Amino acid sequence: MDASQFSAPTRRWLESGRHLEIEGKRIFVYERGGGPAVLLLHGFPTSGYDWRGVIDGLADAYRCLALDFPGYGLSDKPAAYSYSLFQQTDVIEGLAKALGIDEAHIVSHDVGTSVHTELLAREQEGRLSLRIISSTFLNGSMLQEMATITPFQKLLASNETLPQAMAISDNMSVNYIDGLKSVMKRFECLGDEDIAVMNDLIAYQDGNRRLPALSLYMRERYIHRDRWIGALTAASPVQFIWADGDPVANVEMGRALAKEVPRAKYIELSGLGHFSLMEDPPAVVKHIREFIDAV
């Protein structure tokens, strides 16, 4: 799909943001508000569109920026690209430089949490180009060995079943929204316009066919566990906002992370699933705001 085939809601979303050339890729950025910068990092297999409600609740006091990582949303989705979490982190650094951001609060979800921990690792090595003021993590399987991955993720994770996953990805639009709803507790948060936008975003530039390459992040989390969890345990200030009804990044994982980082603030949100940022934006905003206002 190209932009000429977008639905009316998707065209409005496209017009609400802009593209920047970062690391040789056209990267879509949605920005609202003014004040201290808040960078919001989305997850797999969605986009920065996930953050729209959270940004609505923060933009009166903060400069909020949500990008689409390469391979996602309205950003470029090249076929000849590895989509490593290290490359995705390079894009965050490039975006901050392009926009003149030298310090920021970071808020992350799902795969974005591992990009977030790589940012922390680089900062601790003294080579990050911006200062991280605070770190807020929503549900994300940073402890990959504890994750209850979905049936589709299981297909993606195994060499034996990868061809089957690739075949499913070629026709992902059929089951995409149902897959997202299956890990939510309040799936009614997705209205008809949201569904139209999210279907268009994954189909843009054959994004559904990039899912097997994007899914390599699961393997990277195992390989680089010591680096990324080590960076997390050394970081401060940190907060976890964990939805207790997430069937993937389950509540046991959130509690294990809280033990790994005992000085972090840990909050559980009751009755929400994997996409708490869409299921109950005001609750997420409340805890982000209280935390970063106190830093």
Side-chain angles (χ1 to χ4, degrees):
M1 173 184 280
D2 61 36
S4 68
Q5 299 170 285
F6 284 164
S7 64
T10 308
R11 289 196 297 272
R12 288 194 294 272
W13 177 248
L14 172 62
E15 291 164 1
S16 72
R18 57 176 166 153
H19 281 92
L20 298 174
E21 189 82 11
I22 307 291
E23 295 288 314
K25 308 287 184 296
R26 290 180 77 247
I27 302 300
F28 182 76
V29 183
Y30 177 77
E31 178 177 354
R32 290 292 182 274
V38 180
L39 300 180
L40 300 115
L41 312 183
H42 70 81
F44 174 93
T46 50
S47 71
Y49 184 76
D50 297 357
W51 292 109
R52 64 201 180 283
V54 171
I55 289 174
D56 285 347
L58 291 174
D60 65 316
Y62 294 93
R63 181 187 181 188
C64 301
L65 303 103
L67 84 160
D68 294 345
F69 288 118
Y72 298 85
L74 292 168
S75 290
D76 279 348
K77 301 171 180 178
Y81 193 71
S82 69
Y83 298 103
S84 165
L85 294 175
F86 293 97
Q87 289 174 302
Q88 305 290 33
T89 308
D90 292 341
V91 168
I92 296 297
E93 286 207 72
L95 176 69
K97 289 178 183 177
L99 295 176
I101 296 170
D102 56 14
E103 62 177 18
H105 301 276
I106 311 291
V107 183
S108 59
H109 173 245
D110 193 84
V111 72
T113 61
S114 290
V115 175
H116 191 163
T117 53
E118 173 57 20
L119 288 168
L120 291 171
R122 294 182 187 188
E123 182 177 50
Q124 289 161 20
E125 292 169 345
R127 61 185 185 91
L128 188 66
S129 56
L130 70 155
R131 183 175 78 89
I132 298 174
I133 307 171
S134 74
S135 292
T136 295
F137 296 87
L138 278 62
N139 293 56
S141 300
M142 290 176 280
L143 301 176
Q144 188 69 42
E145 69 277 8
M146 293 186 67
T148 311
I149 61 176
T150 67
F152 180 59
Q153 286 177 313
K154 289 179 181 177
L155 294 177
L156 289 168
S158 168
N159 289 342
E160 288 75 17
T161 56
L162 185 56
Q164 184 181 349
M166 292 171 70
I168 293 171
S169 297
D170 285 345
N171 198 28
M172 175 56 66
S173 61
V174 174
N175 297 310
Y176 175 53
I177 299 299
D178 286 346
L180 298 182
K181 287 182 176 180
S182 73
V183 297
M184 294 179 172
K185 290 296 183 184
R186 300 183 183 175
F187 55 79
E188 66 276 7
C189 70
L190 297 181
D192 290 343
E193 287 198 359
D194 297 323
I195 290 170
V197 172
M198 295 172 86
N199 274 326
D200 285 351
L201 295 186
I202 199 166
Y204 177 63
Q205 290 190 4
D206 291 332
N208 50 300
R209 292 177 174 160
R210 304 293 172 256
L211 296 178
L214 291 169
S215 72
L216 294 176
Y217 75 86
M218 290 187 286
R219 182 168 295 182
E220 286 188 296
R221 279 174 162 167
Y222 284 114
I223 295 169
H224 303 290
R225 185 192 192 283
D226 289 349
R227 173 178 177 81
W228 291 338
I229 299 303
L232 179 61
T233 60
S236 184
V238 172
Q239 108 167 304
F240 299 106
I241 304 174
W242 219 262
D244 69 359
D246 187 343
V248 181
N250 49 66
V251 71
E252 291 78 14
M253 185 188 304
R255 293 168 183 171
L257 284 165
K259 289 181 180 177
E260 290 262 9
V261 193
R263 67 177 173 276
K265 185 176 182 180
Y266 178 73
I267 295 155
E268 285 184 8
L269 298 180
S270 179
L272 300 178
H274 184 66
F275 286 96
S276 59
L277 62 170
M278 290 191 283
E279 295 177 55
D280 193 348
V284 173
V285 166
K286 174 181 181 292
H287 294 296
I288 292 173
R289 196 168 194 129
E290 287 176 356
F291 182 65
I292 62 180
D293 282 352
V295 172

